[in-house]
């Protein structure tokens, strides 16, 4: 679902490396459960096509592993979990997928962000207590709990600071989150959660902020191009009147996070980037098997119950995400012009009747999705 009139012209495309020339790019959902709606499937297929163009590789629709004739470059719908399984897919590093790989499932969810209430709290295999020592100054006050008693103790402790946001770790885009002000409200929230689900996934309990501005800090790597960015997320109402993601505006530099820091003066944006870097470094130190070609960290900045300004990383995304269309737009601009060092790109999601798109927009989805209704998704490079 692509606006062909808006296709970039890659006049300066480089030749693929021998490794890339032997790869085939394709979406990957086998054995995974999330992010497989019509609009997400269409978006993933378009991302695969555009990454294949950047890499100089062929592209394919998703095929069973038994039919792979070339080395795969996968676009998974989720962060991939399990090092042995991932190796069996032929993925050995960041050059083999657009996304990330972790050894344990909790690392890929919100559950990783906060510490347990105590050293004796229930926890999944692979939990690292030192991770939370490393990120303590980069996240908001909070806890992760895997049993009902830990949830109650953690919330009681956090209520001393003000209202507590209860966050199911399997939801995205803020869905399913509830703010509780007392134990009665917490009990009503817990009544909807089974012990089995709590033990398997965990629950995040976090000091609630008001007047929140959500920033994104990330990095993508495709072929020889590394691009790092910061940006802001925007919200809208979906077709059911609920708050939903509307898109992101990104400032993207060619290079690593050091290159990004060089264009940032002291202030809220630089604080967000520095906190994301602290979080990213802690992941790599504590979970050395982790690798990724797409990393994204959501950073919340707002006012706490005491009226103080706060900033902290909420969660990570090591899969194709909401901002990926804007990330791809920047990668394409860098691929087209090797001398380009900074671009401003955006991605937009519009619910409701289909409307004309701005000049140069690249359509990722435009139609009626059975799950969300009428939706338009597009990306655009605003300046370079």
């Amino acid at each position: 679902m692509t606006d062909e009139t808006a296709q970039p012209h890659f006049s300066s495309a480089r030749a693929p490396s021998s490794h890339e020339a032997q790869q085939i790019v394709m979406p990957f959902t086998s054995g995974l459960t999330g992010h497989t709606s019509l609009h997400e499937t269409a978006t993933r297929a378009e991302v695969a096509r555009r990454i294949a163009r950047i890499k100089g590789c062929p592209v394919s629709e998703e095929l069973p592993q038994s039919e792979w004739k070339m080395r795969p470059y996968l676009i998974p719908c989720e962060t991939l979990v399990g090092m042995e399984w991932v190796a069996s897919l032929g993925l050995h590093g960041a050059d083999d997928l657009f996304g990330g790989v972790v050894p344990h499932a909790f690392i890929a969810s919100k559950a990783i962000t906060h510490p347990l209430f105590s050293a004796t709290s229930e926890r999944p295999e692979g939990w690292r207590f030192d991770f939370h020592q490393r990120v303590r100054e980069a996240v908001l006050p909070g806890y992760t709990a895997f049993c009902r008693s830990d949830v109650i103790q953690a919330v009681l402790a956090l209520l001393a600071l003000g209202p507590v946001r209860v966050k199911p770790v399997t939801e995205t885009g803020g869905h399913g989150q509830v703010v509780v002000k007392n134990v009665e409200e917490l009990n009503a929230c817990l009544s909807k959660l089974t012990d089995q689900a709590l033990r398997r996934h965990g629950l995040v309990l976090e000091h609630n902020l008001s007047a929140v501005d959500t920033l994104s800090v990330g990095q993508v790597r495709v072929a020889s191009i590394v691009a790092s960015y910061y940006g802001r997320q925007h919200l809208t109402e979906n077709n059911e009147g609920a708050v939903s993601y509307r898109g992101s505006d990104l400032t993207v530099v060619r290079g690593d996070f050091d290159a990004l820091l060089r264009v940032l003066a002291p202030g809220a944006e630089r604080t967000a980037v520095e906190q994301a870097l602290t979080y990213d470094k802690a992941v790599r130190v504590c979970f050395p098997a982790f690798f990724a070609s797409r990393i994204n960290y959501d950073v919340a900045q707002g006012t706490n119950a005491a009226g103080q300004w706060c900033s902290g990383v909420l969660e990570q995304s090591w899969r194709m995400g909401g901002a990926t269309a804007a990330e791809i737009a920047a990668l394409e601009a860098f691929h087209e012009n090797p001398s380009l060092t900074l671009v401003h790109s955006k991605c937009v999601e519009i619910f409701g009747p289909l409307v004309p798109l701005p000049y140069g927009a690249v359509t990722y989805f435009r139609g009626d999705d059975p799950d969300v209704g009428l939706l338009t998704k597009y990306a655009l490079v605003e300046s370079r």
Side-chain angles (χ1 to χ4, degrees):
M1 299 191 178
T2 306
D3 182 356
E4 293 298 334
T5 63
Q7 299 278 341
H9 174 60
F10 298 127
S11 57
S12 57
R14 65 174 183 82
S17 69
S18 58
H19 177 83
E20 292 166 331
Q22 297 169 1
Q23 287 184 307
I24 186 166
V25 180
M26 72 176 75
F28 184 74
T29 62
S30 179
L32 309 176
T33 58
H35 313 288
T36 55
S37 66
L38 179 62
H39 75 89
E40 289 168 317
T41 299
T43 299
R44 195 158 38 251
E46 184 64 16
V47 168
R49 196 181 74 80
R50 290 180 172 274
I51 285 179
R53 178 179 290 185
I54 293 171
K55 288 172 63 66
C57 296
V59 64
S60 170
E61 62 183 10
E62 185 169 358
L63 299 172
Q65 188 175 358
S66 60
E67 297 181 20
W68 295 356
K69 306 300 183 185
M70 301 174 67
R71 184 182 179 91
Y73 181 96
L74 300 183
I75 318 290
C77 62
E78 295 179 350
T79 304
L80 300 182
V81 179
M83 309 312 295
E84 290 186 10
W85 174 59
V86 167
S88 75
L89 297 173
L91 311 181
H92 303 287
D95 291 332
D96 295 328
L97 82 165
F98 188 79
V101 174
V102 296
H104 305 286
F106 77 88
I107 302 171
S109 76
K110 297 178 182 69
I112 188 182
T113 298
H114 294 294
L116 305 174
F117 185 73
S118 75
T120 60
S121 295
E122 290 192 27
R123 57 189 181 273
E125 179 185 357
W127 191 266
R128 289 283 299 264
F129 286 94
D130 56 331
F131 175 80
H132 304 97
Q133 293 296 320
R134 293 176 180 274
V135 302
R136 183 171 50 191
E137 302 301 321
V139 303
L140 302 175
Y143 295 100
T144 294
F146 294 90
C147 71
R148 209 167 289 266
S149 62
D150 281 346
V151 171
I152 294 171
Q153 291 183 81
V155 170
L156 287 174
L158 288 169
L159 283 173
L161 302 175
V164 178
R165 182 171 292 271
V166 180
K167 302 164 65 173
V169 304
T170 57
E171 297 286 350
T172 60
H175 297 297
Q177 297 185 12
V178 177
V179 176
V180 300
K181 301 180 181 66
N182 51 55
V183 175
E184 289 74 25
E185 292 179 354
L186 173 63
N187 288 333
C189 177
L190 287 179
S191 68
K192 303 173 185 177
L193 186 66
T194 67
D195 288 337
Q196 181 181 12
L198 182 55
R199 188 175 302 109
R200 180 180 180 184
H201 302 294
L203 194 65
V204 168
L205 313 154
E206 193 171 72
H207 185 36
N208 187 58
L209 301 183
S210 59
V212 174
D213 193 13
T214 304
L215 282 70
S216 293
V217 178
Q219 187 177 98
V220 286
R221 169 182 171 180
V222 173
S224 62
I225 306 172
V226 176
S228 304
Y229 65 83
Y230 74 92
R232 279 183 166 76
Q233 296 181 22
H234 305 289
L235 301 176
T236 187
E237 286 190 358
N238 64 19
N239 290 312
E240 296 180 349
V243 175
S244 188
Y245 177 72
R246 182 170 67 86
S248 298
D249 299 317
L250 306 182
T251 296
V252 191
V253 301
R254 184 192 296 271
D256 59 16
F257 283 123
D258 287 339
L260 181 61
L261 287 171
R262 285 196 291 271
V263 305
L264 282 171
E269 292 88 356
R270 188 180 182 94
T271 296
V273 172
E274 290 172 342
Q275 289 179 323
L277 288 179
T278 296
Y279 194 109
D280 184 75
K281 181 178 179 180
V283 170
R284 297 177 189 277
V285 170
C286 295
F287 306 102
F290 163 79
F291 62 85
S293 63
R294 193 266 178 179
I295 57 177
N296 176 280
Y297 301 99
D298 287 349
V299 181
Q301 298 183 332
T303 305
N304 68 13
Q308 301 167 320
W309 184 85
C310 298
S311 178
V313 178
L314 297 177
E315 60 183 304
Q316 78 296 336
S317 174
W318 300 315
R319 58 168 177 83
M320 191 192 86
T324 290
E327 297 164 356
I328 297 297
L331 286 172
E332 289 176 327
F334 290 144
H335 181 70
E336 179 183 6
N337 182 356
S339 66
L340 190 64
T341 59
L342 186 148
V343 300
H344 298 281
S345 61
K346 68 187 297 183
C347 55
V348 179
E349 300 190 10
I350 303 171
F351 294 90
L354 307 182
V355 297
L357 301 186
Y359 175 77
V362 174
T363 307
Y364 277 78
F365 182 82
R366 187 171 172 85
D368 192 355
D369 184 304
D371 294 324
V372 302
L374 289 172
L375 175 65
T376 300
K377 298 169 68 173
Y378 70 88
L380 183 70
V381 172
E382 294 188 295
S383 62
R384 59 182 81 192

